[in-house]
Structure formats: structure tokens, C-alpha cells
Amino acid sequence: MGGLGSGRQYGGRCTDDCQTLDVRQWQRKELLVAGTVFSTTWSNGAAIRAVVEADRVRLVYSVREYGGEWEPLDYAVILQTTACHYGGVRHWFTCPAVRCGKRVAVLYQGGKYFACRNCYRLAYRSQRDTQSDRLIHKADKLRDQLGWEPGILNGNGNKPKGMHWKTFRRLQAEHDRFADAGVAMAMRRFKCVL
């Protein structure tokens, strides 16, 4: 078996590693009205100002690459709309990258400019998971359902109050099956010997 991300279309970076602009959030907040000016700030302190025009949004921000000088950027991202079945419209960004122009809901700052995830070859975090990771995630979901402490190495907990014993035994067996298989696969992957 290959390593992290082997055999998959995209390389090592994930969408979680980038700052994002989501047109759906802007539409929910009713910010996509011509003449609206607003700012978005991320947890790392980076900020961007958006100026909404009739059929586009101007993005105004500064970027510094590799510790160099700050470079001010100001460019437009075209907006598209599609009709909804029960009335109204749904807004979309048009990816501003050269030769792309895809209709997308989210733009990522994988470099200097914002573009779609395909242009920056970004994958979703779940696409990086190995089969053992997926099994361990399933076991953790069952731990949450059972009210147990997170993490398969923390041992099994008690039956939650109000849960039927038959249901508890079924969920516990399913949890143990996922946890055991996930740990066994991880050990094989890292060539651990008991």
C-alpha cells in the first residue's frame, strides 16, 4: 500500500490549510447587494475587504509572500446566479484563475490569489484518510453515541442510562470491531510487531 495520498488525484495540501471565501455565507447574511462593502477576518488576523458590484465582487487585501514586502491586491471575482426551484436565486463565484472560470461556492487562498480548489490542487481532509483512519473515525463516532471518552485507546465505558442492553451490546461490538480492525491496519502500515 502507498503512503499518504498515494493513488489520489491531488497532492499534499488540504482545503483546511487555506483561508476561504464562501459565497453561501455571504448570501445568507444578505451581503450580496450592489454597493455593499464589508470585511472578513480570519483567526490568524488576515483580513479582506469585499466591495459588491452589480455582477461581481472586488476583493481588496494585502499579501506577503515568504516574508517579503506587503503587496496590495485588488481584483474582481464575477458572480453567477442560478434559479432555485421554489423561487429566488443562488449565487456562485466564477473562479478568477486564468483558463478556469468554474462556477464554485468556495474560493481558497492557496497562494497569492483566491481560486477554486481544483486550481490549487487541494483535497478535502477526508480524502487523505487511510482505511485504518476511517475505521478509527467510525469507532470514535460510536464512542460519542455511547457517551464514552473520545479516543479508542481510552477503553470502553459503561452503558448509557436509558439505552437498552441489546442496543448497547450491538454498538459495543460494532465499536470493538472497528477499533480492532483500525489498529491492526495501522500497525501493519507502520510495520509494528506485537
Side-chain angles (χ1 to χ4, degrees):
M1 261 195 164
L4 182 67
S6 67
R8 300 217 166 79
Q9 181 180 3
Y10 296 118
R13 291 193 317 166
C14 293
T15 56
D16 299 351
D17 302 332
C18 301
Q19 294 162 355
T20 61
L21 299 176
D22 191 335
V23 76
R24 298 165 299 190
Q25 290 178 353
W26 291 1
Q27 186 170 5
R28 271 192 294 277
K29 294 178 182 177
E30 299 179 357
L31 297 172
L32 296 174
V33 177
T36 305
V37 178
F38 61 94
S39 294
T40 300
T41 305
W42 290 277
S43 59
N44 67 355
I48 188 169
R49 188 168 57 105
V51 180
V52 182
E53 298 173 1
D55 62 344
R56 67 190 71 225
V57 176
R58 295 202 71 73
L59 302 178
V60 182
Y61 60 99
S62 294
V63 65
R64 181 169 68 178
E65 293 186 307
Y66 310 111
E69 295 295 317
W70 285 98
E71 179 183 350
L73 294 175
D74 182 349
Y75 60 96
V77 176
I78 296 171
L79 293 174
Q80 297 181 40
T81 58
T82 55
C84 296
H85 290 293
Y86 295 108
V89 294
R90 178 170 288 122
H91 290 275
W92 303 92
F93 290 126
T94 302
C95 179
V98 177
R99 292 187 297 276
C100 182
K102 278 187 170 184
R103 183 178 72 188
V104 295
V106 180
L107 294 176
Y108 300 90
Q109 189 179 18
K112 192 181 212 180
Y113 299 97
F114 283 88
C116 69
R117 77 180 189 93
N118 292 324
C119 289
Y120 281 122
R121 300 185 54 77
L122 301 172
Y124 296 114
R125 182 73 58 201
S126 62
Q127 291 174 302
R128 298 280 183 259
D129 287 349
T130 62
Q131 191 173 359
S132 63
D133 293 333
R134 289 186 182 105
L135 290 168
I136 291 170
H137 289 312
K138 286 181 182 182
D140 277 336
K141 283 184 182 180
L142 288 169
R143 293 184 74 77
D144 186 46
Q145 189 177 350
L146 289 164
W148 295 351
E149 185 179 356
I152 61 170
L153 298 179
N154 288 320
N156 293 355
N158 298 320
K159 178 183 87 64
K161 184 176 180 177
M163 182 180 282
H164 291 276
W165 277 102
K166 184 176 179 180
T167 303
F168 173 71
R169 287 187 190 105
R170 178 180 53 81
L171 292 176
Q172 184 178 25
E174 199 173 332
H175 166 271
D176 293 345
R177 201 169 50 251
F178 287 141
D180 292 345
V183 168
M185 286 180 134
M187 290 178 73
R188 279 196 304 272
R189 188 174 75 208
F190 296 115
K191 295 175 180 54
C192 296
V193 180
L194 290 177

